[in-house]
Amino acid sequence: MSEARAATEKLHAELHGLGVTTAYEVGDDETISVWIGLVVRYRDGFYRWQEGPVKRRHLGTDPVGCAMRVARRYQELQADIPLWWDDLARELRGAPVQDYP
Protein backbone atom coordinates (compact mmCIF):
# COMPACT_ATOMS: atom_id res chain seq x y z
CA MET A 1 0.00 0.00 0.00
CA SER A 2 1.34 3.41 -0.94
CA GLU A 3 1.97 6.17 1.58
CA ALA A 4 -0.67 8.35 -0.07
CA ARG A 5 -3.31 5.61 0.05
CA ALA A 6 -2.61 4.86 3.73
CA ALA A 7 -2.80 8.56 4.63
CA THR A 8 -6.00 9.01 2.63
CA GLU A 9 -7.64 6.00 4.29
CA LYS A 10 -6.73 7.30 7.75
CA LEU A 11 -8.17 10.73 6.98
CA HIS A 12 -11.33 9.21 5.50
CA ALA A 13 -11.86 7.11 8.63
CA GLU A 14 -11.35 10.15 10.88
CA LEU A 15 -13.79 12.24 8.83
CA HIS A 16 -16.37 9.47 9.01
CA GLY A 17 -15.88 9.31 12.79
CA LEU A 18 -16.59 13.05 12.97
CA GLY A 19 -19.86 12.62 11.10
CA VAL A 20 -18.71 13.60 7.60
CA THR A 21 -20.25 10.55 5.97
CA THR A 22 -20.60 12.03 2.47
CA ALA A 23 -16.83 12.12 1.89
CA TYR A 24 -15.50 9.61 -0.60
CA GLU A 25 -12.19 8.65 -2.18
CA VAL A 26 -12.06 9.51 -5.84
CA GLY A 27 -10.01 6.47 -6.80
CA ASP A 28 -6.54 7.91 -7.35
CA ASP A 29 -5.26 6.89 -3.87
CA GLU A 30 -4.66 10.50 -2.84
CA THR A 31 -7.88 12.51 -3.14
CA ILE A 32 -10.99 12.72 -0.97
CA SER A 33 -14.00 14.73 -2.06
CA VAL A 34 -15.72 15.98 1.07
CA TRP A 35 -18.35 18.13 -0.60
CA ILE A 36 -18.61 19.83 -3.96
CA GLY A 37 -15.77 22.33 -3.96
CA LEU A 38 -14.11 20.94 -0.78
CA VAL A 39 -11.37 18.47 -1.70
CA VAL A 40 -8.43 17.03 0.26
CA ARG A 41 -5.33 15.59 -1.41
CA TYR A 42 -2.33 13.91 0.17
CA ARG A 43 0.99 14.77 -1.45
CA ASP A 44 4.58 15.17 -0.32
CA GLY A 45 3.80 14.48 3.34
CA PHE A 46 0.96 16.99 3.59
CA TYR A 47 -2.80 16.94 3.40
CA ARG A 48 -3.64 19.78 1.05
CA TRP A 49 -7.24 20.86 1.07
CA GLN A 50 -8.97 23.31 -1.12
CA GLU A 51 -12.36 24.93 -0.84
CA GLY A 52 -13.21 27.16 -3.75
CA PRO A 53 -10.26 29.53 -4.16
CA VAL A 54 -8.93 28.94 -0.61
CA LYS A 55 -6.06 26.49 -0.19
CA ARG A 56 -4.76 25.07 3.10
CA ARG A 57 -2.35 22.36 4.15
CA HIS A 58 -1.85 20.17 7.19
CA LEU A 59 0.91 17.76 8.20
CA GLY A 60 0.36 14.27 6.84
CA THR A 61 1.35 12.77 10.19
CA ASP A 62 -1.76 14.26 11.82
CA PRO A 63 -4.90 12.88 10.13
CA VAL A 64 -6.93 13.54 13.30
CA GLY A 65 -6.11 17.25 13.34
CA CYS A 66 -6.67 17.61 9.62
CA ALA A 67 -10.02 15.80 9.84
CA MET A 68 -11.13 18.15 12.62
CA ARG A 69 -10.26 21.22 10.54
CA VAL A 70 -11.91 19.88 7.39
CA ALA A 71 -15.02 18.69 9.29
CA ARG A 72 -15.37 22.11 10.92
CA ARG A 73 -15.17 23.84 7.55
CA TYR A 74 -17.62 21.34 6.06
CA GLN A 75 -20.14 22.17 8.79
CA GLU A 76 -19.63 25.90 8.22
CA LEU A 77 -20.23 25.46 4.49
CA GLN A 78 -23.37 23.43 5.12
CA ALA A 79 -24.73 26.13 7.44
CA ASP A 80 -23.96 29.02 5.08
CA ILE A 81 -23.55 27.91 1.47
CA PRO A 82 -20.99 30.22 -0.21
CA LEU A 83 -21.87 32.31 -3.27
CA TRP A 84 -19.39 30.46 -5.50
CA TRP A 85 -21.20 27.17 -4.86
CA ASP A 86 -24.04 27.79 -7.33
CA ASP A 87 -21.67 28.50 -10.20
CA LEU A 88 -19.49 25.49 -9.40
CA ALA A 89 -22.49 23.18 -9.02
CA ARG A 90 -23.89 24.22 -12.39
CA GLU A 91 -20.51 23.75 -14.03
CA LEU A 92 -19.85 20.32 -12.51
CA ARG A 93 -23.34 18.84 -12.39
CA GLY A 94 -25.45 20.92 -14.75
CA ALA A 95 -28.36 23.31 -14.26
CA PRO A 96 -30.80 20.79 -12.63
CA VAL A 97 -28.98 21.05 -9.26
CA GLN A 98 -30.05 24.61 -8.56
CA ASP A 99 -31.92 23.70 -5.39
CA TYR A 100 -29.64 20.91 -4.18
CA PRO A 101 -26.66 21.89 -2.02
Side-chain angles (χ1 to χ4, degrees):
M1 178 182 306
S2 72
E3 176 187 358
R5 180 161 181 81
T8 302
E9 286 181 359
K10 287 177 187 175
L11 179 63
H12 188 250
E14 292 296 334
L15 285 169
H16 191 78
L18 291 171
V20 183
T21 57
T22 58
Y24 62 93
E25 297 176 41
V26 245
D28 63 0
D29 290 345
E30 64 183 38
T31 308
I32 295 176
S33 178
V34 180
W35 192 53
I36 190 167
L38 179 57
V39 177
V40 183
R41 289 182 181 87
Y42 180 85
R43 192 179 71 225
D44 301 327
F46 287 94
Y47 291 108
R48 300 168 191 272
W49 54 285
Q50 181 173 345
E51 165 240 318
V54 178
K55 296 180 181 181
R56 308 259 189 244
R57 72 180 193 169
H58 196 92
L59 283 175
T61 56
D62 184 21
V64 175
C66 182
M68 289 186 335
R69 290 178 68 194
V70 171
R72 185 179 319 122
R73 186 62 187 140
Y74 171 76
Q75 290 171 348
E76 290 170 353
L77 288 169
Q78 291 290 306
D80 187 24
I81 298 172
L83 298 175
W84 54 260
W85 190 91
D86 289 328
D87 294 333
L88 183 61
R90 274 190 212 92
E91 182 180 322
L92 295 177
R93 293 185 181 163
V97 300
Q98 292 177 6
D99 296 327
Y100 180 75

